[in-house]
Amino acid sequence: MKEIQDIVIAFEQARMQHKKAALATVVHVEGSSYRRPGARMLVTEDGQLTGAISGGCLEGDALRKARRVMLEQKAMLITYDTTDDDDAKLGVGLGCNGIIKILIEPINPKDPDNPISYFRSFLSSRQKAVLVTLFSLESRTAEQPGTCLFIPENGSMAGQCKDKTIQEALLAEAQLVLETGSSVTKTYISADTSLTGFVEILKPAVSLVVVGAGNDAIPLTQLAAILGWQVTVVDGRANYATVVRFPAAQRVLVAKPEQVLNQVQTDDQTIFVLMTHNYIYDLAMLRQLLPLQLPYIGSLGPKKKLDRMLTELQEEGMVITEAQISHVYGPTGLDIGAETPEEIALSIISEIKSVLAHKKGASLKYKQDVIHPRDEAAIGVEFLGEKLPQSINEVADLSIKGSFTCGI
């Protein structure tokens, strides 16, 4: 999310200075790679880079390719094979062990369907969306359509695919991606063409609501802002909840507990951290938050405090389910030995990230499996209309791994 925000800002600056730009997108990875599909980098003709497609090892070569793309105004698919021990063939020391496919496409500011316009549309509202990037695996010299479709969760589709049969299949795929929340890569083969689509889910930025405007809340808002999270600070004390004290926050509200939810939009990317150091205020907020089934509610302070609040709410007659309690984290944060406000903020941010990513927050040193599941590299194949494989070799020739379905 932060990468997309930064790319949009950088493109606007380049456009005002009449600079050409190109967008590099990681569309597929097989094996190990520093960045995964969906990683992006904006390149301007004077060599400015915003975002990243690797740990720094591919950027130099991608810059050279991007300048060619800008000159020819034609998208290009590049494959970096880092499984070969002889990295000198690429002229870079990659230190990875994977095959990375990167699509570089020119950005035409006069085209209303350029990728940056899709990014702007996505950032303008808090809703999920699907972005479709099409490319050809059959030939490096084949036309590379690039970012061509934008499908918001609630709204009108933008863009188009030249092959209407493939477009219909992509729209159906997009609906599944919206439902599952997981991106997919699939090759669609129609009577006229064969194209691979990276059907990518885009999710709104994390909305962090920090309830409490004490000094210890300041580093928490600063760290969240670095990640591109949307930060709201709430407190009942007007002399504490000020923009001057919290410049990193998008909103600073002075409100009583019962007034907060009327001013804050909540969704499945909304996080609350209760840190007012005022038991009555935190209790009143928890009473309102529990029924919302938010992904994370953090409670600063000892576990005894949280247990007491839950007990009081139950004694009031409130029915609290195990599902509701499972989303409440108190004491909030990972056990990293945090002592200072900055360290505590790091602990809290780390736990929130692990919860949203459905990870345990353990050290990677002790992880038995690979960091990224290898089944993510599989590319499905769907034959559309009357186009069927003549033999198993027709599928193998596409250099694709994974299952296929026949849509006839």
Side-chain angles (χ1 to χ4, degrees), residues 125-139:
S125 64
R126 284 196 61 81
Q127 64 171 321
K128 292 184 291 185
V130 170
L131 194 67
V132 177
T133 305
L134 282 178
F135 51 98
S136 173
L137 289 174
E138 288 187 309
S139 172

Side-chain angles (χ1 to χ4, degrees), residues 95-373:
C96 297
N97 188 29
I99 299 174
I100 305 134
K101 296 186 183 298
I102 296 173
L103 182 72
I104 304 178
E105 53 189 315
I107 307 299
N108 180 3
K110 295 181 180 179
D111 181 2
D113 288 320
N114 72 67
I116 305 300
S117 68
Y118 296 157
F119 295 160
R120 288 197 205 95
S121 296
F122 169 64
L123 294 173
S124 67
S125 64
R126 284 196 61 81
Q127 64 171 321
K128 292 184 291 185
V130 170
L131 194 67
V132 177
T133 305
L134 282 178
F135 51 98
S136 173
L137 289 174
E138 288 187 309
S139 172
R140 291 177 58 187
T141 59
E143 180 184 0
Q144 305 293 342
T147 309
C148 62
L149 290 174
F150 175 74
I151 304 101
E153 187 174 24
N154 298 302
S156 301
M157 178 194 80
Q160 64 178 339
C161 173
K162 289 183 179 179
D163 190 305
K164 298 306 177 185
T165 303
I166 290 181
Q167 178 166 307
E168 290 179 9
L170 286 169
L171 292 177
E173 198 76 61
Q175 293 306 312
L176 291 175
V177 167
L178 283 170
E179 292 172 10
T180 63
S182 299
S183 304
V184 299
T185 305
K186 183 181 288 186
T187 294
Y188 302 88
I189 302 176
S190 70
D192 299 322
T193 189
S194 169
L195 290 171
T196 301
F198 174 42
V199 188
E200 177 188 8
I201 185 70
L202 299 178
K203 297 180 180 179
V206 174
S207 174
L208 173 64
V209 184
V210 180
V211 182
N215 290 342
D216 56 347
I218 295 175
L220 180 62
T221 64
Q222 292 171 334
L223 280 179
I226 290 174
L227 295 176
W229 294 4
Q230 296 177 354
V231 181
T232 300
V233 176
V234 180
D235 201 298
R237 301 167 293 180
N239 58 325
Y240 278 72
T242 68
V243 176
V244 173
R245 282 171 51 78
F246 294 93
Q250 276 77 30
R251 301 176 69 199
V252 179
L253 305 176
V254 178
K256 296 179 180 179
E258 59 270 18
Q259 299 171 329
V260 174
L261 292 183
N262 291 330
Q263 302 179 68
V264 176
Q265 177 186 351
T266 61
D267 52 36
D268 58 7
Q269 289 281 97
T270 302
I271 303 300
F272 274 78
V273 177
L274 309 180
M275 52 191 308
T276 65
H277 301 282
N278 181 320
Y279 180 85
I280 301 301
Y281 198 111
D282 284 357
L283 176 66
M285 282 304 310
L286 187 60
R287 181 184 296 111
Q288 298 176 75
L289 296 177
L290 280 173
L292 299 182
Q293 284 293 291
L294 299 170
Y296 185 101
I297 302 171
S299 174
L300 187 69
K303 189 175 187 299
K304 184 177 180 180
K305 171 191 171 185
L306 176 60
D307 290 341
R308 179 184 167 189
M309 288 194 294
L310 293 173
T311 299
E312 283 196 33
L313 293 176
Q314 289 173 323
E315 289 175 349
E316 292 176 2
M318 185 176 186
V319 177
I320 303 175
T321 66
E322 288 297 322
Q324 291 172 333
I325 293 178
S326 68
H327 295 288
V328 181
Y329 294 79
T332 181
L334 294 182
D335 183 8
I336 60 173
E339 295 291 343
T340 67
E342 292 78 13
E343 292 171 347
I344 292 170
L346 176 62
S347 167
I348 295 171
I349 290 287
S350 299
E351 183 177 53
I352 293 171
K353 172 58 183 174
S354 69
V355 169
L356 292 178
H358 306 289
K359 299 294 183 179
K360 295 181 179 179
S363 174
L364 290 173
K365 175 180 179 179
Y366 303 107
K367 188 176 177 66
Q368 298 298 313
D369 200 359
V370 294
I371 297 176
H372 300 287

